[in-house]
Amino acid sequence: MAVTAFQEIILFLRGLSRVVFVGSKAFYGWMSFLTIFVLLGVWAYLFQWREGLYVTNMRDQVSWGFYISNFTFLVGVAAAAVLLIIPAYLYSFKAIKKIVVFGEFLAVSAILAALLFIGADFGRPERFWHAIPGLGTLNFPSSVLAWDMIVLNGYLCLNLFISLYVGYYHYYGKEPKKAILLPFILLSIPWAAGLHTVTAFVYNGLAARPFWNASILAPRFLASAFCSGPALMIIIFQVLRKLTDFRIENKAIAKLAEMIAYAMAINLFLLGAEIFKEYYSDTHHLSPLRYLYQGLHGHNRLVPWIWTATAFNIIAFLLFLTPRTRNNLLTLNIGCALVFIGVWIEKGMGLIIPGFIPDTLGEIYEYMPSRFEVMISAGIWSFGAMLYTMFVRAAIALDTGRLRHPDAPPVVHEEEKGPRARDIMSTRVIAVRPETSIEEVSKLLVSHRISGLPVVDGDGKIIGVLSESDIIFREIHHEPHLVEKLGDMVLPRNLRASDRTGSTAGEIMTSPPLTAQEETPLKELVQIITERKIKRIVVVDKDARPVGVVSRIDIVKALEHISA
């Protein structure tokens, strides 16, 4: 019986819901944590809607504040996706091409969050429809804000189309048609630059605000965006490598870090040029910059913030400049965190507030966000993080084959040659249910001479892995000094710090399990085993059911065969 298009859509949506909304305790904890902030943000926004913008600390003297600060920063994060698109599609950098979809989904999430910040800044939110291209009275083309709305929504549609188009073909196990995909990819590159340039022009075109009325503002926007966006991506990629079975090569992260170094050099140079011009000229236009860096007439609330941001950016630049620290994961992560926070301060409050100081009457109103502004902003950031989490889970499921059409061919990574998991795995899999007692598990390990086994649910799908180390830890966890003395011979330090005890497999198993697909190349298996310091990895089919186990000895035999 032929399957209709509607049935195909339902089948896809069911598979999507399984991979997006069903996960481990850590996933549910993360989403619950974000949901709390979203709900608090909704409550604060409803209060603001009822009472008006008076509940914020914005006034006539400072009419843009924390909302517009975050909007500007997020637009830069979205524009930075182009740094993945260019090497992936124009230069066929395969290591980055594999992860480019994460950059596109980050752009989508960032744009949606940025639009929410615009909505939060509206005094009359029921008039938001005026800002929708094609429906509202945008005053196009004379209004720069109208241009900004067009490029924002256009960039959102571009990245959504590219991501969904590629995802659709992955779902059916086909290659996307380049004749259709490539024009949109090429269009997204100048659009990304135009996106943040137009945002800069929103400020740049205000001749009465000398702090913003500088031709160097647009290049500074782009340079800072190409620092903060990739820095966030690098942190996200490392989290994904730790928490999922998706493999991201070090050379992809190294290339991103190298591009950040160049962007940071340009950003700091442009900032220095602007500071020199204002201080050397020493006109009345220096007042906003002096307020920011030195304080003005006793008003200096932003001074410690901007100097902290400057120090963070300089330290991060030095870390990215030197290959030794740039390629060291610890110093790389420190540098990414520093540049992300530094640019957020510099292009947020450090950009918005000085533009209003002093006001047209020469007075100074020192703005700081109210608790309602902070709560609403935290809610919007959390909503963006929730969206991105779901996007990432869907992308990984499509790449690994967990979300795939039943008639689609198995996932094959063509760039990897050599044996795969299905070629070297042991197909004899001993599995237990969550309710299996520890005593029974111990007997299975001894009788079959194995050191670990998968734990499956009622449908036979893997939900965890139980090893001899888990059982040993359960027995001696009441003797901390003994655990410390035995050290890594018993358990890695991260597991020694946990407190998983119980009498059944489900209570002490490691979850979510670290698994591999049947088509996973030997190179990736070696990377998983060595990075995670494990003895075996369970191989699963497209339905997450265990079909084999690859142990260290299987990998050693495969490597010996290749060398021979």
Side-chain angles (χ1 to χ4, degrees):
M1 182 178 179
V3 180
T4 65
F6 178 75
Q7 290 173 321
E8 291 279 9
I9 293 173
I10 295 298
L11 181 67
F12 171 75
L13 292 177
R14 284 177 179 173
L16 187 65
S17 64
R18 285 196 299 268
V19 299
V20 170
F21 299 110
V22 179
S24 64
K25 291 181 180 179
F27 167 71
Y28 293 131
W30 168 244
M31 296 299 278
S32 299
F33 174 76
L34 294 176
T35 301
I36 292 172
F37 284 97
V38 170
L39 293 176
L40 288 174
V42 170
W43 174 83
Y45 178 72
L46 291 175
F47 185 82
Q48 175 185 293
W49 191 349
R50 186 184 68 193
E51 301 295 326
L53 289 177
Y54 179 76
V55 301
T56 72
N57 282 337
M58 291 183 286
R59 297 293 182 265
D60 290 340
Q61 298 94 327
V62 177
S63 53
W64 288 350
F66 202 50
Y67 298 147
I68 300 302
S69 298
N70 282 283
F71 161 77
T72 307
F73 178 77
L74 281 169
V75 171
V77 171
V82 74
L83 288 189
L84 290 179
I85 293 174
I86 291 175
Y89 289 106
L90 296 189
Y91 296 99
S92 298
F93 197 111
K94 291 182 178 180
I96 288 184
K97 193 171 185 179
K98 184 179 179 181
I99 59 177
V100 68
V101 67
F102 296 118
E104 290 163 348
F105 278 139
L106 182 62
V108 171
S109 303
I111 289 293
L112 289 173
L115 290 172
L116 286 177
F117 274 112
I118 292 292
D121 195 63
F122 272 25
R124 296 290 298 274
E126 71 276 10
R127 296 182 178 179
F128 181 75
W129 67 273
H130 281 291
I132 302 175
L135 293 178
T137 52
L138 283 174
N139 197 22
F140 182 83
S142 60
S143 171
V144 182
L145 286 174
W147 280 96
D148 202 32
M149 291 305 297
I150 290 173
V151 295
L152 277 169
N153 287 279
Y155 193 65
L156 173 64
C157 293
L158 271 174
N159 280 277
L160 265 178
F161 173 79
I162 293 171
S163 304
L164 295 177
Y165 186 78
V166 172
Y168 170 83
Y169 273 86
H170 268 299
Y171 178 69
Y172 284 97
K174 301 176 183 178
E175 280 295 318
K177 296 180 181 179
K178 290 185 178 180
I180 296 176
L181 183 63
L182 194 58
F184 288 96
I185 290 171
L186 294 176
L187 178 61
S188 70
I189 295 173
W191 203 295
L195 170 70
H196 217 27
T197 299
V198 172
T199 305
F201 285 172
V202 171
Y203 300 93
N204 200 193
L206 299 174
R209 305 290 181 183
F211 186 70
W212 300 330
N213 188 227
S215 58
I216 205 173
L217 193 65
R220 279 189 61 198
F221 266 40
L222 289 172
S224 61
F226 295 158
C227 298
S228 56
L232 178 59
M233 291 180 201
I234 288 176
I235 294 174
I236 290 172
F237 292 154
Q238 292 186 74
V239 171
L240 292 179
R241 289 206 304 189
K242 292 291 184 182
L243 299 182
T244 72
D245 55 356
F246 188 79
R247 297 295 95 198
I248 299 172
E249 296 186 42
N250 285 332
K251 60 183 178 181
I253 293 177
K255 179 57 70 175
L256 273 180
E258 184 180 346
M259 289 189 284
I260 291 176
Y262 302 143
M264 290 191 68
I266 297 172
N267 185 45
L268 290 173
F269 172 76
L270 293 176
L271 175 62
E274 185 68 12
I275 291 175
F276 169 78
K277 184 260 292 185
E278 293 292 356
Y279 273 93
Y280 190 78
S281 302
D282 196 16
T283 67
H284 65 281
H285 290 166
L286 176 61
S287 296
L289 197 66
R290 179 170 286 156
Y291 165 75
L292 183 62
Y293 281 93
Q294 295 176 266
L296 190 64
H297 307 316
H299 301 279
N300 53 15
R301 295 182 72 177
L302 281 183
V303 171
W305 289 94
I306 196 61
W307 280 109
T308 299
T310 303
F312 280 8
N313 286 333
I314 292 174
I315 294 171
F317 172 63
L318 295 175
L319 291 176
F320 280 102
L321 184 64
T322 308
R324 182 177 178 181
T325 51
R326 188 173 67 230
N327 295 324
N328 181 285
L329 290 182
L330 175 61
T331 50
L332 173 65
N333 291 334
I334 293 173
C336 287
L338 291 178
V339 72
F340 185 82
I341 297 171
V343 172
W344 179 73
I345 296 173
E346 174 199 324
K347 207 162 75 176
M349 298 284 282
L351 168 74
I352 303 296
I353 309 309
F356 293 102
I357 292 177
D359 64 12
T360 53
L361 298 177
E363 298 175 344
I364 296 175
Y365 171 70
E366 288 206 283
Y367 164 87
M368 278 290 169
S370 69
R371 68 178 186 276
F372 293 101
E373 290 173 273
V374 173
M375 289 171 66
I376 292 171
S377 299
I380 294 175
W381 273 96
S382 298
F383 178 74
M386 290 179 72
L387 278 180
Y388 189 65
T389 300
M390 291 187 285
F391 284 146
V392 164
R393 288 174 65 84
I396 292 176
L398 285 167
D399 183 84
T400 57
R402 287 197 293 271
L403 178 59
R404 204 167 179 83
H405 192 274
D407 298 330
V411 177
V412 177
H413 299 284
E414 294 182 357
E415 69 272 13
E416 300 288 355
K417 298 180 180 179
R420 303 179 183 278
R422 56 176 164 75
D423 301 319
I424 66 173
M425 69 182 184
S426 303
T427 55
R428 182 166 168 261
V429 182
I430 312 278
V432 297
R433 298 285 295 276
E435 61 270 18
T436 305
S437 67
I438 301 303
E439 290 72 17
E440 189 174 344
V441 172
S442 300
K443 291 178 182 178
L444 287 173
L445 294 179
V446 173
S447 61
H448 292 282
R449 296 184 178 181
I450 54 178
S451 59
L453 41 73
V455 182
V456 298
D457 61 15
D459 296 325
K461 297 181 180 180
I462 187 169
I463 58 174
V465 175
L466 185 59
S467 70
E468 57 188 7
S469 297
D470 295 314
I471 297 176
I472 294 173
F473 177 69
R474 169 184 175 269
E475 296 298 328
I476 65 173
H477 78 282
H478 293 301
E479 304 292 340
H481 66 282
L482 184 57
V483 177
E484 192 64 33
K485 185 175 181 181
L486 291 175
D488 290 330
M489 290 188 297
V490 176
L491 277 181
R493 187 168 297 276
N494 64 321
L495 290 183
R496 278 185 273 152
S498 65
D499 190 27
R500 292 201 310 269
T501 59
S503 58
T504 64
E507 292 174 319
I508 71 168
M509 68 182 181
T510 299
S511 181
L514 190 61
T515 61
Q517 300 292 310
E518 294 178 86
E519 295 298 326
T520 301
L522 176 62
K523 179 181 178 181
E524 289 191 18
L525 293 171
V526 172
Q527 187 177 2
I528 295 171
I529 292 284
T530 54
E531 283 186 359
R532 302 302 291 269
K533 297 180 180 179
I534 56 178
K535 296 181 179 179
R536 79 209 63 77
I537 184 168
V538 180
V539 182
V540 297
D541 61 15
K542 62 182 181 181
D543 296 318
R545 293 186 174 90
V547 294
V549 176
V550 174
S551 65
R552 289 181 178 180
I553 191 63
D554 296 322
I555 291 178
V556 170
K557 290 178 180 178
L559 293 173
E560 286 182 352
H561 180 74
I562 293 174
S563 61

